[in-house]
Amino acid sequence: MTRYTFTRGLSYAPIVAASERVAWTVDGVFQDRRFDASRPIVPPSWVGTAGLRFLNEADQLVLNHCRAFSYVHLLRNFEEFVPPHLTGSATDAWHDDRARLRTLFRFGEEEMKHQQLFERAERVLEESCGHGFRRFFDDGGARVTEMTQNLLGHSPLGRFLIILALEWGTQRHYVESVHGAAVTDGLYADLLKAHWVEEAQHTKVDALEIAALAETMSAEELTAAFDDLLAIGALVDAKFAEQAKREVETLVGVRGRDLPDDESAKLVRALHASLSANMAGVGLGHPRFALVARELSAEGAAKLGIA
Ligand SMILES: [Fe+2]
Ligand SMILES: [Fe+2]
């Protein structure tokens, strides 16, 4: 038991059991299916370009497919740092509670599986759409290696907080895909669902690990962890900005038309804003994340705009 209410009712053994019950395989999710590229694949709200009058319907469709790609491409690469981050937590207390260690390793293994799911989705999107997508993270892995090292240089609590936010965000993405069933591709919706059912267990592990770390920290240290979270957020947001530029490059290549500089800049800004809002904003603004933030440090939470 911890003094934090956000851990109420949580313990490691039931998390392992739930994780075993909901587990899936990448092949089982895909079942040799493809995405339907004749229609939007993700909700248009994810793209946020409906108000840009210089884009026609065909442009909007390509941008929608770009966003479906960017989402899996970015998540695949962001999740790379999670297994080494969790391994660090496990080795801090080796010979600890068996259920805790199993949970941490299982959580890490699931993230490795998610990377495979997203990598497959990137490939199948390219096959289904009949063209490639420009990507920020290069095939050689230099950029993801650099980002992973940067992320691992931040405090364990800051890292757990960004993971928790991103994971609560995946719940929103799944729920939106169900409510917006008419605009979300069936395979894509299944992929979001598969991801969330495992992330739902991870949010519980995060809560327990966050509480254990927080109990060893002073009020000042807890507040400082939110500065660290903001620094991690800025690091991640810079990747969103880069990928937004790649989306415009893909659009120009696929549609075979040049955009005037002012329209191109406006489009990059809109795409960057929607990537940030949809991938980080929904998690950092999620009520369940706010609950944890507030209880850890009201002063720290206020830095995120959480009252
Ligand atoms: Fe994941
Ligand atoms: Fe996760």
Side-chain angles (χ1 to χ4, degrees):
M1 279 301 285
T2 70
R3 65 187 154 104
Y4 294 104
T5 62
F6 61 76
T7 61
R8 231 173 251 161
L10 297 180
S11 59
Y12 291 102
I15 298 173
V16 178
S19 151
E20 286 175 334
R21 268 197 314 278
V22 302
W24 42 265
T25 65
V26 175
D27 284 341
V29 172
F30 275 88
Q31 295 173 356
D32 294 323
R33 288 180 294 167
R34 287 160 75 98
F35 300 101
D36 179 2
S38 69
R39 300 175 61 246
I41 292 175
V42 295
S45 62
W46 283 29
V47 193
T49 52
L52 298 179
R53 294 283 157 241
F54 55 87
L55 300 170
N56 62 29
E57 217 176 301
D59 296 332
Q60 297 284 9
L61 186 64
V62 172
L63 286 172
N64 186 287
H65 297 167
C66 284
R67 185 50 50 96
F69 182 89
S70 295
Y71 180 82
V72 289
H73 176 66
L74 291 169
L75 268 188
R76 170 167 74 88
N77 285 282
F78 290 153
E79 290 199 351
E80 279 263 331
F81 91 98
V82 181
H85 154 74
L86 294 168
T87 307
S89 297
T91 50
D92 281 349
W94 205 243
H95 307 298
D96 196 357
D97 169 7
R98 296 289 96 179
R100 173 176 180 264
L101 292 172
R102 276 205 66 199
T103 308
L104 291 173
F105 283 110
R106 199 171 167 88
F107 179 171
E109 200 280 327
E110 284 171 353
E111 298 297 9
M112 305 284 296
K113 183 176 68 175
H114 300 172
Q115 290 161 26
Q116 277 186 341
L117 179 81
F118 295 142
E119 196 276 333
R120 169 97 68 105
E122 287 182 40
R123 194 155 35 83
V124 177
L125 275 166
E126 292 191 319
E127 287 166 11
S128 306
C129 296
H131 62 78
F133 289 92
R134 297 295 306 270
R135 62 198 73 206
F136 170 67
F137 290 101
D138 49 312
D139 289 336
R143 284 184 170 148
V144 70
T145 303
E146 188 197 353
M147 182 181 70
T148 300
Q149 279 165 354
N150 282 340
L151 288 167
L152 292 173
H154 286 274
S155 66
L157 183 55
R159 285 185 254 146
F160 267 116
L161 287 171
I162 193 77
I163 293 170
L164 180 67
L166 291 174
E167 289 177 340
W168 275 116
T170 67
Q171 181 211 35
R172 282 274 175 87
H173 302 142
Y174 162 58
V175 170
E176 279 171 12
S177 77
V178 172
H179 290 304
V183 291
T184 305
D185 179 272
L187 172 56
Y188 209 87
D190 285 350
L191 190 146
L192 295 174
K193 180 182 181 183
H195 193 218
W196 162 244
V197 297
E198 292 190 344
E199 295 298 355
Q201 312 315 315
H202 298 180
T203 61
K204 298 174 196 164
V205 182
D206 296 331
L208 289 169
E209 293 293 315
I210 284 170
L213 281 170
E215 291 203 319
T216 67
M217 296 166 71
S218 67
E220 291 72 26
E221 287 170 332
L222 286 171
T223 304
F226 285 85
D227 290 320
D228 199 35
L229 173 61
L230 286 171
I232 296 173
L235 195 154
V236 167
D237 196 62
K239 314 308 180 216
F240 294 149
E242 289 292 340
Q243 185 59 24
K245 289 185 213 156
R246 303 310 191 277
E247 292 184 335
V248 177
E249 288 169 8
T250 300
L251 174 72
V252 167
V254 171
R255 298 284 298 137
R257 72 170 177 93
D258 256 336
L259 284 173
D261 285 353
D262 60 325
E263 290 181 357
S264 175
K266 210 181 264 183
L267 182 54
V268 170
R269 269 200 306 279
L271 291 169
H272 177 203
S274 60
L275 260 183
S276 296
N278 189 50
M279 293 193 72
V282 295
L284 291 165
H286 195 289
R288 296 294 295 271
F289 179 80
L291 212 74
V292 173
R294 238 183 262 118
E295 211 179 336
L296 288 176
S297 163
E299 205 181 316
K303 291 171 190 273
L304 304 176
I306 299 169

